[in-house]
Amino acid sequence: MASDRFLKAAVAEAQLGLDEGGIPIGSVIVHQGKIIGRGHNRRVQRGSTVLHGEMDALENAGRQSASVYRECTLYTTLSPCPMCTGAILLYKIPRVIIGENRTFQGSEWLLRLNGVEVTVVDDATCVKLMVDFIRNKPQLWNEDIGV
């Protein structure tokens, strides 16, 4: 189980997404020890093309000054895709904590190349959520990652 309270919050978001019939990926954005945005993948629930967990968390953080984002850490249960990586880079979020990257290796290399501190926790709960989901709903997973 996720040991970090912020990663636990991201896992709770992922579980909420799964419970809603969506894809179990969650994210939280933390500024000065406080969650300012939380979200989960809502592509299915909202019929959206862009509401991945990280994008939903950014949306729910609302309009923040650039200086706030430059002091944040983004927690996500799964390695960020190119779209979410782009948003992280756009807002200059300096740290990303990733629950797991076994089931999907996102654009971590691009984050690192641009000076973002990336930590992969390899959390068993995050891995199990995705392994079970991919096994049970492979077509939905393939749709989400553009296969």
Side-chain angles (χ1 to χ4, degrees):
M1 179 60 175
S3 58
D4 183 289
R5 69 182 170 121
F6 298 125
L7 185 57
K8 283 182 183 178
V11 169
E13 286 291 325
Q15 185 63 55
L16 183 58
L18 183 62
D19 293 346
E20 292 172 352
I23 299 162
I25 303 168
S27 183
V28 297
I29 301 168
V30 177
H31 181 254
Q32 296 180 351
K34 179 182 174 202
I35 295 174
I36 63 168
R38 60 178 64 232
H40 52 276
N41 188 306
R42 295 179 195 248
R43 288 188 64 253
V44 173
Q45 300 91 312
R46 300 264 175 96
S48 171
T49 59
V50 297
L51 277 182
H52 284 192
E54 300 90 339
M55 302 299 280
D56 193 39
L58 281 164
E59 179 70 16
N60 291 327
R63 187 175 167 193
Q64 302 289 332
S65 72
S67 64
V68 169
Y69 285 119
R70 285 194 298 263
E71 296 176 344
C72 286
T73 300
L74 184 141
Y75 289 76
T76 182
T77 58
L78 185 64
S79 185
C81 75
M83 175 181 65
C84 296
T85 293
I88 292 164
L89 295 175
L90 176 67
Y91 290 103
K92 297 181 177 28
I93 296 172
R95 285 170 303 286
V96 176
I97 310 295
I98 298 169
E100 71 101 352
N101 64 1
R102 290 189 205 182
T103 60
F104 179 75
Q105 179 77 47
S107 297
E108 296 167 27
W109 66 272
L110 187 55
L111 291 170
R112 288 185 178 103
L113 183 67
N114 283 274
V116 176
E117 178 186 329
V118 176
T119 303
V120 179
V121 178
D122 197 29
D123 179 75
T125 302
C126 294
V127 173
K128 181 170 176 22
L129 273 169
M130 289 309 302
V131 166
D132 291 350
F133 178 78
I134 292 167
R135 182 183 60 244
N136 294 329
K137 299 199 175 186
Q139 288 179 312
L140 187 53
W141 171 241
N142 288 339
E143 174 191 317
D144 194 60
I145 60 170
V147 175

